[in-house]
Amino acid sequence: MKPIRCLLVDDEPPSLEILKTYIASTPGLHIEGECHHAVAAFEFLQTHTVDLILLDMNMPRMTGMDFLRALKNPPKVIITTAHRDFAVDGYELGAVDYLLKPFSLDRFWKAIQRIQAAAEVSNAPVEKATEDRSLYVRADRKIVKIPVAEIIYIESLKDYVKLVLRDRHVITKQTITAIEDMLPEKDFVRVHRSFIVNLRRIDSYTPSSVFIGKNEIPIGPLYRQTAIGRVQG
């Protein structure tokens, strides 16, 4: 998959430096350009093509929101700002995510994974979307690539999750709900507050458990109707 070409638009040098540091720590991103105000960004886009704009809101000469409204065919946009007031307008204008400064590297990764997932699905045949997709998670002080098709099940461990693959497992500091949002809904189902399973891996089930190889995974009462329906369907 080609790197995602990014344009950074922010009038504060420290914020730009943080973004550049985060991007350097994230596989699949390339900085195509950086601008200190929206007018310069508008001019930049006349001669350059980008896939993603990381856009501040409060800037001189033109606000980020006015800039976004002026773009006829904008690329994907992630808003980065210290102000909450622009969230509703930003989402209405199609922003993929809204990062409130100061945001963590983990929060930045979550936003980027949404971009990567959308790009992979749109560039791949529908029947191959799951096989071609990957998640990128932080584990053992590294960024680890997790092919979605290899995930057997996911288990919540309080502030961490364990992703169980065919030949290994990976533990990352993340919530199970955040991981669930990154997965293709048609192939995974939440069966318990602490478990998500790959529907393609289920060997058998009862009203209270699903079985994947030697693994018995509980089905929670609140998830039973939906889980059993998805397994049967």
Side-chain angles (χ1 to χ4, degrees), residues 124-138:
V126 171
E127 67 274 15
K128 293 184 178 179
T130 297
E131 287 77 1
D132 292 344
R133 283 194 53 188
S134 296
L135 304 181
Y136 292 90
V137 301
R138 187 174 188 177

Side-chain angles (χ1 to χ4, degrees), residues 6-26 29-31 33-35 52-56 78-81 99 101 103-105 108-109 111-112:
C6 303
L7 173 62
L8 316 184
V9 187
D10 200 310
D11 64 325
E12 298 178 351
S15 295
L16 283 173
E17 290 304 314
I18 289 172
L19 282 174
K20 287 189 281 188
T21 299
Y22 284 1
I23 288 172
S25 302
T26 308
L29 299 185
H30 169 72
I31 297 175
E34 58 179 271
C35 299
L52 171 63
I53 301 175
L54 292 153
L55 180 64
D56 188 24
I78 294 175
I79 293 173
T80 63
T81 180
L99 301 183
K101 298 176 182 177
F103 49 88
S104 67
L105 178 57
F108 177 78
W109 280 341
I112 295 302

Side-chain angles (χ1 to χ4, degrees), residues 96-125:
V96 175
D97 211 334
Y98 193 95
L99 301 183
L100 192 64
K101 298 176 182 177
F103 49 88
S104 67
L105 178 57
D106 286 345
R107 181 65 183 87
F108 177 78
W109 280 341
K110 182 178 179 180
I112 295 302
Q113 284 175 332
R114 291 176 180 172
I115 302 288
Q116 291 171 329
E120 290 182 4
V121 170
S122 64
N123 291 333

Side-chain angles (χ1 to χ4, degrees), residues 117-218:
E120 290 182 4
V121 170
S122 64
N123 291 333
V126 171
E127 67 274 15
K128 293 184 178 179
T130 297
E131 287 77 1
D132 292 344
R133 283 194 53 188
S134 296
L135 304 181
Y136 292 90
V137 301
R138 187 174 188 177
D140 298 326
R141 299 183 181 180
K142 296 179 290 186
I143 309 300
V144 180
K145 181 179 180 180
I146 307 291
V148 168
E150 292 186 10
I151 299 174
I152 296 173
Y153 69 89
I154 298 162
E155 180 180 2
S156 174
L157 306 172
K158 293 187 178 180
D159 295 331
Y160 293 79
V161 294
K162 179 169 70 173
L163 297 98
V164 179
L165 312 181
R166 288 184 294 202
D167 57 354
R168 60 191 169 111
H169 69 264
V170 176
I171 295 176
T172 182
K173 189 172 184 180
Q174 185 65 274
T175 67
I176 193 169
T177 300
I179 294 292
E180 183 180 19
D181 289 342
M182 301 173 194
L183 296 170
E185 185 178 353
K186 69 183 183 69
D187 294 310
F188 289 83
V189 62
R190 184 86 168 261
V191 297
H192 188 279
R193 63 183 299 179
S194 298
F195 289 94
I196 298 170
V197 300
N198 187 334
L199 287 164
R200 297 169 183 260
R201 302 289 178 180
I202 295 174
D203 296 312
S204 60
Y205 70 93
T206 69
S208 59
S209 300
V210 293
F211 297 85
I212 302 177
K214 297 180 180 180
N215 300 294
E216 179 179 358
I217 299 168

